[in-house]
Amino acid sequence: MRQTMSPSRATGVRRLAGAATVILLASTMPVLVGTSASATTSTSNCSTDPTARLASVPSPEEFLGFPLGAGQERPVTNEEVNNYLAAVDGASKRVRTGVMTTSVLGQPLPYAIVSTETNVRPANLRALAEDITALRDPRTTTAQRAKEIAADAPAIVWVTANVHGGEKSGTDAALKTLYELAAGLSCEVAERNENLVTIVVPTQNPDGRDANRRQNEYGFDMNRDWFARTQQETDGKLELMRRYPPQVFIDAHEMGGRQYFFPPNADPIHHEISGQVVDWINRIGDANKAGFGYNGACGAGVTTECYFNYSTYDLFFMGYGDTVPAAGFGAAGMTLEKGSASALPDRVQQQFNVMWSTLGWSAAHREEVLTGYFQQWRDALAQGRAGTLEPNEVLQPGNSVQFPVPAQEIRSYFLLPDRQLADVRQLVERLRRMDVEVYQVRKPLRLPTARIFGGRSATNLTVPEGSYWIPMNQPQKHWIQSVMGEDPHVPFPYFYDVSSWSNPLLMGVNAVYTASDVRPNAELIEKIVDTGGGKILAAPPNKGSYSFELDSAAAAEYAFSLLGQGVELRRDLDTGSVSFPAVYLTRELNRSAKEFGVTLTPYTTGAVGTPIGLPDVGLFQGTGITTTSGSHGEARYVLGKRWGLDLTPVTTADINDNTAAFTGRTVLLVPDGSNATGGLTAAGQANLRAWVASGRTYIGLRNQGTRMARAAGLTSTTEKPKPTGYTVVGSHLRVDVADSPVSLGRPAEDFEFNNNDSILNPSTTGTNVLTYPTGDTFWANGYTVNADALKGTVALVDEPTGSGRAVLFAFNPLFRAYNENGLHLVANALLYPGSGAPAARVAPRTAPTVDPARAAAAAAPVADDQGGEWRPITIEVAAGDLGRTQAVVETFTATATVAQADGSAYLTIPNPQGLQADEHPFLGDLVRTLKAGGIPLRSVVG
């Protein structure tokens, strides 16, 4: 995040820089309708009256029956959002509307583009998009051409809101912003419209808005979904952003309390976010301070309807609505947070005030921003050529860089094709859809030096033909490093999300990077269907077969698709490969193989191996399970939507009473939750054991999934206490992989994602499928403390009972649906031989005797559920600061526990609902109070 000198702040400012605040003072007054006029205005004929507006454009009060902001009676509904956008579009020549995608439940996600009448003409919008895209590639755009674009083109600003469905005020403020831009006749409006094209997205989550729920219909927090794009709402938004790349991006939220946050951000800030972006964000923050109104800055004696900065909201994880616009699009991405305890009129008005002042700054500094926008891509190219990574910096007063970016050069990444090839190709497509250039190697090459993911190095490494090359010498260098980097190099240990999201590690693919300046014989990839998937040659249609490697999440999805269409599959239980009769392969199925990146190898002989079939899956939603978020929703999305499986709800009563909803299933998946027994009685636990023993598969995820199995006598694993100070903040660790049908297709060493999960001692009655190494091969990335406690423990066990089994994950393999190697393991468990066999549907009448080791495990004390499906809150301070830290914490909660080790004191606050920091009722206020009290924080993990 090297700070780049920007041009003089006066450069290119063609409007009155201080005019942004004029309408803010008037914005709380009743709307005065002006006389009808043309929708085209300019600063030469604009009105000095900030209340002058086009009478032809319906105001919110006229259309909705109430004003937005001051005097507002209730939140706007989705239907009203859609109808109002259509009404404004029909009445104002400054506006064009569209639908960027639909939600899970089929609701539209509308957007409005607003600027001058000239700017929003379709041909001019296309030309603008081409110009902004040209600024992103200095290899083909000359400095002179960039100067001309910066002088003449409007900048693109996005105003978005309501990605969390229950946080509604941003939507209403976005509509108010749209109205002012569409109808206003003042010079402040003219300045914004002449200098900007503003894209207004009132709601990113209409299903969540209707349900008054943070998550979408599948229970996903879509402000964590940005780099992976698993949800259709996220994916459609990003495609529109590629069409109209932003220079400034607003993402409006709500939080607890009655205060307001806008940047400057809290640390950490990801090092690959450019200096230009950070500079713009901080200077927009200065403008927002001037335009906020109300009680101004929070401080002594001012605690409500005020703003704060440099706290709580970081700029680090690449799943947010500020970091991805910043690193992926070079925009000033900004999270805005308004306290939800304030009255609705104040919430909406404050959101509007900040949106309006942001637009004012952006308009006043348009040419400077566009000039710097071009420069940051030039900087990225230069850094990529040199193999330079941006250094770590901190911005928050009182913080210092604790973990600098190491001195290393990276000029290229390579994805090797020797295993998990379908997931490799999916990663290529993910990169390509963020405008990353990826090439396929046509001739082997030698790397003099290379780093292998997992902390290892190599010399004279051969990159084989068919590998995928991602050179850093391209405009998207910042984005490449942000999502491909082996470690994100956090500068300061404050987290309210995860500390690792390296895409090669998430997928468990074979990847290397190098400082060597190489020039492979390689071809640019244009489409995923051209990367080698589908059939190589035709097999004899009557007697032949096709085979593919089921060694990846993408290949598993293809296998489920085939089974769902009635294709007979057989699996080799030694290699994991799957084959099917050639007669089944249609043009559509071959096309599907290409899209999944699955290579079909033809054989002249028939399919071989053990038959596999579709499992009949029960999804547990009994005691302790939350059905609107977390792994229950992730199971509905991955197994239900993507894999096409019918999921039958199974309740606690179904198991206790042995109903057909339970006994008729061949697989039971138990998500993570908050109850160690799932509410099962002794009879219910016996029913569960008997059901498993008859050939069924129990799949248990994380805390509740493993504890419920232990309580029922299905495993001998026990939980190992975590040492004081133990911290694993969403990190990747190496695991050793044992032979099991659950691990078919995985390499001997793999990587798994750990988010402060329970530590499981090895099983003595089953197969320890994934084990953390005990020796020098132990490796972790991200932020971990005392992670050695994991050495020799297990992440996945396969426990037989009778002719069935319990497959128990210490972690959540479905986490956000972007942990592809975990998804593959779940698919293997579902396709476990016999799990789809109808003959296994008759349950025995008596349960098997519980093994003594399993009985002892069931009798062991159960660990407190301090973190729910997330993590507890842990605050680390110096041991000498414990007393005054406790005094502050006790004003917020009486539930904190204290432990000390190595000169540090750790205060752990239970978080049984699994709330993240940005939705927690008091964590942000607590941290700010501690800092205001002068207490140095060594780390905060929420």
Side-chain angles (χ1 to χ4, degrees):
M1 193 181 58
R2 185 177 294 107
Q3 197 73 9
T4 303
M5 293 299 293
S6 61
S8 166
R9 296 188 182 185
T11 300
V13 180
R14 304 184 300 174
R15 308 289 179 256
L16 296 175
T21 59
V22 174
I23 197 167
L24 297 178
L25 301 177
S27 63
T28 58
M29 304 186 329
V31 174
L32 300 178
V33 180
T35 58
S36 178
S38 168
T40 301
T41 61
S42 69
T43 53
S44 61
N45 60 11
C46 61
S47 172
T48 58
D49 179 2
T51 66
R53 297 176 177 89
L54 294 169
S56 58
V57 179
S59 70
E61 186 167 13
E62 291 170 332
F63 188 85
L64 302 169
F66 54 85
L68 297 178
Q72 185 170 347
E73 301 170 359
R74 61 169 176 80
V76 180
T77 67
N78 280 325
E79 182 179 10
E80 289 169 335
V81 169
N82 298 332
N83 292 340
Y84 188 62
L85 259 65
V88 173
D89 184 3
S92 176
K93 294 181 180 180
R94 305 175 191 173
V95 176
R96 294 287 183 273
T97 60
V99 174
M100 62 185 186
T101 188
T102 56
S103 70
V104 174
L105 295 181
Q107 296 198 72
L109 273 69
Y111 65 91
I113 302 177
V114 57
S115 186
T116 65
E117 179 183 350
T118 299
N119 286 341
V120 300
R121 290 172 182 158
N124 291 340
L125 283 175
R126 287 193 297 271
L128 170 62
E130 291 170 0
D131 284 344
I132 298 299
T133 300
L135 292 179
R136 299 180 71 193
D137 194 349
R139 297 168 303 180
T140 57
T141 303
T142 66
Q144 178 58 36
R145 176 60 184 144
K147 184 177 180 180
E148 293 168 357
I149 294 172
D152 297 333
I156 300 176
V157 178
W158 280 59
V159 177
T160 73
N162 204 203
V163 71
H164 294 148
E167 301 171 7
K168 299 184 177 183
S169 60
T171 296
D172 301 14
L175 295 180
K176 184 177 176 69
T177 300
L178 172 63
Y179 170 65
E180 297 296 343
L181 294 174
L185 297 172
S186 70
C187 295
E188 291 82 1
V189 171
E191 177 189 20
R192 287 159 175 78
N193 283 337
E194 288 192 0
N195 285 280
L196 305 175
V197 166
T198 304
I199 299 179
V200 179
V201 180
T203 177
Q204 303 170 70
N205 184 5
D207 296 345
R209 187 177 182 87
D210 278 347
N212 201 30
R213 181 183 62 230
R214 177 183 178 92
Q215 299 83 3
N216 76 343
E217 181 63 20
Y218 282 120
F220 276 66
D221 184 335
M222 292 192 293
N223 201 37
R224 306 294 187 270
D225 187 49
W226 278 73
F227 80 78
R229 304 170 66 160
T230 67
Q231 301 304 289
Q232 61 198 61
E233 296 95 333
T234 311
D235 189 65
K237 172 176 57 188
L238 278 160
E239 284 304 292
L240 190 65
M241 289 175 67
R242 291 178 69 197
R243 183 176 169 189
Y244 298 110
Q247 287 72 68
V248 176
F249 190 97
I250 290 172
D251 192 23
H253 294 253
E254 290 185 8
M255 60 181 179
R258 295 180 60 191
Q259 298 181 356
Y260 197 104
F261 167 83
F262 52 78
N265 294 92
D267 294 319
I269 296 176
H270 196 281
H271 64 96
E272 285 294 332
I273 294 175
S274 75
Q276 289 96 334
V277 164
V278 174
D279 178 51
W280 300 336
I281 290 172
N282 293 345
R283 289 165 59 195
I284 291 171
D286 290 339
N288 288 337
K289 292 175 185 178
F292 180 77
Y294 281 80
N295 293 334
C298 301
V302 181
T303 59
T304 63
E305 312 312 334
C306 55
Y307 68 80
F308 66 90
N309 324 111
Y310 291 118
S311 183
T312 307
Y313 300 99
D314 62 22
L315 198 63
F316 186 62
F317 168 56
M318 287 296 147
Y320 298 149
D322 49 14
T323 52
V324 174
F329 292 89
M334 296 174 295
T335 291
L336 309 180
E337 297 273 355
K338 171 55 194 164
S340 58
S342 295
L344 176 64
D346 293 328
R347 299 204 308 271
V348 174
Q349 191 64 48
Q350 289 173 31
Q351 296 273 32
F352 169 78
N353 289 357
V354 176
M355 290 175 183
W356 195 251
S357 58
T358 297
L359 291 173
W361 184 94
S362 303
H365 297 84
R366 176 202 60 80
E367 186 170 349
E368 176 194 344
V369 167
L370 290 176
T371 300
Y373 191 72
F374 178 69
Q375 184 61 44
Q376 71 175 316
W377 304 109
R378 295 181 70 178
D379 294 344
L381 279 168
Q383 293 166 16
R385 281 193 298 272
T388 304
L389 303 185
E390 293 268 31
N392 260 338
E393 292 182 2
V394 293
L395 298 180
Q396 199 169 346
N399 289 348
S400 60
V401 174
Q402 296 189 22
F403 309 105
V405 174
Q408 64 176 338
E409 294 179 355
I410 301 176
R411 286 186 170 87
S412 294
Y413 283 93
F414 289 92
L415 302 174
L416 306 186
D418 57 328
R419 57 180 175 82
Q420 282 74 52
L421 183 54
D423 278 350
V424 167
R425 289 167 173 160
Q426 293 301 313
L427 178 50
V428 168
E429 182 70 354
R430 180 182 291 172
L431 292 168
R432 197 187 64 78
R433 294 184 71 224
M434 280 294 286
D435 303 305
V436 174
E437 296 165 2
V438 183
Y439 299 78
Q440 190 160 28
V441 175
R442 296 304 185 193
K443 184 178 179 180
L445 75 150
R446 182 179 60 84
L447 301 180
T449 61
R451 298 283 297 178
I452 303 170
F453 274 71
R456 292 172 173 155
S457 59
T459 57
N460 295 319
L461 178 74
T462 297
V463 174
E465 178 183 355
S467 298
Y468 297 92
W469 173 44
I470 303 111
M472 294 286 271
N473 183 12
Q474 59 175 295
Q476 279 291 58
K477 175 262 180 181
H478 294 311
W479 180 249
I480 294 168
Q481 185 60 28
S482 295
V483 296
M484 291 289 291
E486 187 178 28
D487 196 293
H489 305 302
V490 61
F492 183 83
Y494 169 85
F495 301 95
Y496 78 77
D497 206 79
V498 301
S499 67
S500 175
W501 54 90
S502 168
N503 280 211
L505 293 175
L506 283 168
M507 290 188 166
V509 300
N510 197 1
V512 302
Y513 53 98
T514 183
S516 301
D517 190 3
V518 295
R519 299 288 191 276
N521 180 345
E523 180 180 350
L524 180 67
I525 298 295
E526 296 288 351
K527 299 177 181 178
I528 190 173
V529 295
D530 297 332
T531 62
K535 65 181 179 181
I536 300 172
L537 295 169
N542 295 325
K543 297 183 179 181
S545 63
Y546 291 97
S547 176
F548 63 91
E549 298 299 323
L550 206 171
D551 63 351
S552 61
E557 189 166 348
Y558 182 62
F560 283 119
S561 173
L562 294 176
L563 288 170
Q565 296 179 68
V567 178
E568 298 174 3
L569 300 185
R570 291 179 174 270
R571 192 170 195 189
D572 186 321
L573 299 185
D574 292 323
T575 66
S577 64
V578 169
S579 59
F580 60 92
V583 69
Y584 283 109
L585 187 65
T586 63
R587 179 178 299 178
E588 290 74 21
L589 290 181
N590 188 58
R591 175 76 182 184
S592 179
K594 286 177 174 286
E595 291 173 348
F596 282 117
V598 173
T599 298
L600 302 177
T601 303
Y603 289 88
T604 58
T605 55
V608 296
T610 301
I612 57 175
L614 280 177
D616 187 338
V617 182
L619 180 59
F620 186 70
Q621 59 181 47
T623 303
I625 302 298
T626 299
T627 60
T628 57
S629 64
S631 54
H632 186 280
E634 290 156 354
R636 288 190 291 115
Y637 169 70
V638 174
L639 278 67
K641 178 177 174 60
R642 284 176 50 177
W643 294 351
L645 301 179
D646 292 329
L647 304 178
T648 301
V650 176
T651 66
T652 299
D654 288 326
I655 301 176
N656 285 339
D657 298 338
N658 240 15
T659 70
F662 165 56
T663 60
R665 312 282 73 78
T666 60
V667 174
L668 178 68
L669 189 145
V670 178
D672 192 13
S674 60
N675 192 284
T677 67
L680 299 188
T681 62
Q685 291 172 341
N687 292 340
L688 182 59
R689 288 196 305 275
W691 177 86
V692 171
S694 69
R696 272 69 161 210
T697 299
Y698 173 104
I699 301 175
L701 308 187
R702 206 169 179 257
N703 293 333
Q704 179 158 340
T706 57
R707 291 169 181 170
M708 197 166 140
R710 185 178 301 114
L714 294 173
T715 180
S716 57
T717 62
T718 55
E719 293 187 21
K720 176 181 177 179
K722 297 173 181 176
T724 298
Y726 174 85
T727 304
V728 178
V729 184
S731 305
H732 280 97
L733 295 99
R734 178 179 285 116
V735 288
D736 293 328
V737 182
D739 288 338
S740 162
V742 181
S743 61
L744 273 176
R746 300 310 306 174
E749 290 183 335
D750 210 346
F751 301 99
E752 284 308 334
F753 183 82
N754 187 311
N755 191 30
N756 203 54
D757 305 321
S758 296
I759 305 177
L760 297 189
N761 292 310
S763 169
T764 60
T765 56
T767 301
N768 296 301
V769 181
L770 301 182
T771 304
Y772 297 106
T774 57
D776 293 340
T777 60
F778 183 85
W779 178 86
N781 79 339
Y783 184 73
T784 64
V785 179
N786 293 332
D788 282 358
L790 288 167
K791 289 184 175 180
T793 66
V794 296
L796 173 60
V797 297
D798 179 1
E799 292 270 19
T801 294
S803 57
R805 73 232 30 100
V807 178
L808 307 179
F809 293 84
F811 60 102
N812 176 11
L814 303 178
F815 184 73
R816 294 177 179 167
Y818 63 45
N819 184 19
E820 280 84 358
N821 53 5
L823 302 188
H824 177 217
L825 293 167
V826 172
N828 279 343
L830 290 167
L831 295 171
Y832 207 111
S835 64
R841 294 176 183 266
V842 179
R845 295 182 179 179
T846 59
T849 303
V850 178
D851 181 276
R854 293 179 176 178
V862 178
D864 291 337
D865 182 34
Q866 292 202 323
E869 290 197 59
W870 187 240
R871 302 184 295 246
I873 296 162
T874 304
I875 297 172
E876 178 189 4
V877 296
D881 290 325
L882 174 59
R884 56 189 185 134
T885 304
Q886 275 186 293
V888 173
V889 171
E890 286 171 358
T891 65
F892 288 87
T893 178
T895 62
T897 58
V898 176
Q900 298 187 52
D902 301 323
S904 285
Y906 299 87
L907 292 90
T908 300
I909 300 170
N911 183 23
Q913 292 179 289
L915 300 177
Q916 296 190 33
D918 57 338
E919 58 179 330
H920 195 275
F922 64 77
L923 177 58
D925 289 338
L926 170 58
V927 171
R928 289 190 289 277
T929 304
L930 290 168
K931 290 200 168 196
I935 301 173
L937 302 179
R938 292 187 169 180
S939 68
V940 178
V941 177

